[in-house]
Amino acid sequence: MYVWASFLSEFNDILDKADFIITDDLAMQWYNLAHWVEKDTSFFTTDTIFTRKNLIKLWNDRASYIK
């Protein structure tokens, strides 16, 4: 989702405190469309999460990716 840019620092602080982040497959059509839109007053939380070293991404019930 898009969140006001003023929340980015707090959002990153929350992610910094997490031991790990688990996300399901976000390669859905809405993500593919929204991912490329750049906004000056907001940031896309999914893009921020994808840069994290503690990310565990689940593609389906049989595959996962640990960064």
Side-chain angles (χ1 to χ4, degrees):
M1 77 178 144
Y2 280 101
V3 179
W4 290 113
S6 60
F7 183 62
L8 181 58
S9 179
E10 186 175 347
F11 187 73
N12 279 317
D13 287 345
I14 292 167
L15 296 177
D16 288 342
K17 293 175 185 172
D19 292 329
F20 55 88
I21 302 163
I22 297 177
T23 179
D24 61 351
D25 184 8
L26 296 174
M28 297 174 277
Q29 185 62 27
W30 69 267
Y31 172 72
N32 289 331
L33 294 173
H35 170 71
W36 301 104
V37 177
E38 292 192 27
K39 299 184 180 277
D40 293 332
T41 59
S42 60
F43 69 96
F44 196 45
T45 57
T46 303
D47 287 342
T48 303
I49 289 170
F50 279 168
T51 65
R52 308 304 294 199
K53 294 182 191 263
N54 55 348
L55 174 66
I56 299 172
K57 181 178 178 184
L58 304 175
W59 278 288
N60 59 39
D61 63 348
R62 296 182 191 178
S64 64
Y65 167 81
I66 300 175
K67 192 170 183 181

